[in-house]
């Protein structure tokens, strides 16, 4: 009984301690003074106004949104084609191909950033939006692949067979049966890829240029030179945005598509 009680105490302590740093940042963002402090004292929206009125921050925000949106679409389309090949191929080939798709997860982001720096420099697209888009697609591809792959594995083959037996062509079966049935997995991949791309900083900081810089990288560079609460205000905005995206994801399709379906024995 004593061990169970201590386990519950430890669990509640963990629940309260995990979000504590985020709560400190959120509260500090309402500080009136020109430096981050907790508790903030007098409350003010001064730093949110500065964030929304500074063209440098807004430009970084627009670049991050555009990069995340484009990367999510490209990653999801690529992941869908990859998952389709893996699920409907022989087992040995599928395992090798799936390992290759998931490979970016295995590399440390710092090492991946150095490798991508060499790759983009070789193709002369370093510091460009196209270069960042390519790298973000590589980073988010494994995370887009997973829900689509699970969704395809849950698909009942008899549905497609019934469509074909009723006279539908292969492409008609694909668009009218397969795609609608795996739509929840596709939506999950889109939203999750968008969140990951929008918040990515470790690899991106190796690849940004003077004219293309994402908002997370701007925050990282700014915090090294200045400690004004505008960084806390921006961080709070990003946290709320990410939470809304996750709630939207859960509301629309749920998060069950990251769980491998039970295979028949």
């Amino acid at each position: 009984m004593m061990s169970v009680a201590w386990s519950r105490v430890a669990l509640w302590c963990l629940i309260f301690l995990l979000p504590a740093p985020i709560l400190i940042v959120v509260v500090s963002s309402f500080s009136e003074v020109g430096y981050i402090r907790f508790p903030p004292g007098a409350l003010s929206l001064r730093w949110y106004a500065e964030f929304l009125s500074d063209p440098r921050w807004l430009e970084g925000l627009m670049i991050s949104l555009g990069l995340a949106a484009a990367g999510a679409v490209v990653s999801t389309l690529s992941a869908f084609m990859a998952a389709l090949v893996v699920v409907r191929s022989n087992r040995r080939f599928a395992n090798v191909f799936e390992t290759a798709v998931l490979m970016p997860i295995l590399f440390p982001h710092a090492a991946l950033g150095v490798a991508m720096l060499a790759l983009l420099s070789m193709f002369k697209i370093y510091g460009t939006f196209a270069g960042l888009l390519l790298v973000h697609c590589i980073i988010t591809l494994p995370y887009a692949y997973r829900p689509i792959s699970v969704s395809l594995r849950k698909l009942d083959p008899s549905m497609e067979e019934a469509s074909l037996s009723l006279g539908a062509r292969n492409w008609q079966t694909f668009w009218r049966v397969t795609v609608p049935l795996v739509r929840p997995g596709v939506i999950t991949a889109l939203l999750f890829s968008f969140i990951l791309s929008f918040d990515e900083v470790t690899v991106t900081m190796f690849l940004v240029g003077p004219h293309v810089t994402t908002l997370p990288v701007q925050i990282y560079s700014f915090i090294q030179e200045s400690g004004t609460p505008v960084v806390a205000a921006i961080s709070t905005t990003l946290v709320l945005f990410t939470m809304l995206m996750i709630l939207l994801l859960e509301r629309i399709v749920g998060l069950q598509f990251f769980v491998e379906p039970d295979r028949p024995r």
Side-chain angles (χ1 to χ4, degrees):
M1 291 295 293
M2 184 64 68
S3 60
V4 174
W6 279 109
S7 298
R8 291 179 178 176
V9 171
L11 178 62
W12 281 108
C13 288
L14 186 64
I15 291 174
F16 283 111
L17 286 176
L18 283 177
I22 297 176
L23 293 176
I24 291 174
V25 170
V26 172
V27 175
S28 300
S29 68
F30 294 98
S31 175
E32 189 178 29
V33 298
Y35 55 91
I36 296 177
R37 72 174 186 178
F38 184 84
L43 301 180
S44 172
L45 294 175
R46 167 188 175 185
W47 305 110
Y48 288 92
E50 180 174 326
F51 165 49
L52 296 175
S53 61
D54 192 329
R56 295 174 301 173
W57 294 120
L58 295 179
E59 182 182 3
L61 176 62
M62 292 299 104
I63 291 174
S64 293
L65 288 172
L67 185 63
V73 172
V74 175
S75 295
T76 301
L77 289 175
S78 303
F80 186 86
M81 291 186 289
L84 204 60
V85 170
V86 169
V87 171
R88 301 189 176 181
S89 299
N90 65 77
R91 187 67 182 171
R92 180 176 298 179
F93 172 79
N95 288 337
V96 174
F97 193 85
E98 191 167 42
T99 301
V101 170
L102 299 176
M103 191 67 71
I105 299 178
L106 305 178
F107 291 100
H109 274 202
L112 192 60
V114 175
M116 292 297 106
L117 173 61
L119 178 66
L120 299 189
S121 299
M122 183 171 56
F123 288 103
K124 302 186 185 303
I125 53 175
Y126 169 74
T128 65
F129 185 87
L132 286 176
L133 177 60
L134 173 63
V135 173
H136 277 232
C137 289
I138 294 173
I139 294 172
T140 58
L141 179 61
Y143 301 95
Y145 171 84
R146 184 63 177 176
I148 295 177
S149 174
V150 172
S151 187
L152 281 171
R153 286 190 171 98
K154 289 181 176 179
L155 182 63
D156 187 356
S158 63
M159 302 293 289
E160 295 176 316
E161 294 171 1
S163 174
L164 293 171
S165 65
L166 291 173
R169 299 180 181 272
N170 287 330
W171 67 269
Q172 291 176 319
T173 299
F174 178 77
W175 284 111
R176 296 181 181 179
V177 178
T178 306
V179 172
L181 289 175
V182 300
R183 186 179 298 153
V186 172
I187 295 174
T188 302
L190 274 171
L191 292 178
F192 205 71
S193 298
F194 182 91
I195 293 171
L196 288 172
S197 178
F198 186 80
D199 292 334
E200 213 294 314
V201 63
T202 309
V203 177
T204 308
M205 64 185 295
F206 286 90
L207 309 171
V208 294
H211 303 296
V212 180
T213 304
T214 63
L215 185 59
V217 173
Q218 280 184 304
I219 294 173
Y220 179 80
S221 301
F222 184 82
I223 199 66
Q224 294 180 314
E225 303 173 359
S226 175
T228 62
V230 67
V231 174
I234 299 172
S235 301
T236 301
T237 304
L238 295 183
V239 168
L240 291 176
F241 177 76
T242 303
M243 289 178 62
L244 287 175
M245 292 291 291
I246 293 175
L247 289 174
L248 180 64
L249 176 61
E250 174 63 26
R251 184 75 174 179
I252 295 176
V253 294
L255 299 176
Q256 69 272 19
F257 290 99
F258 291 94
V259 181
E260 187 73 22
D262 294 334
R263 297 183 181 276
R265 300 183 181 181

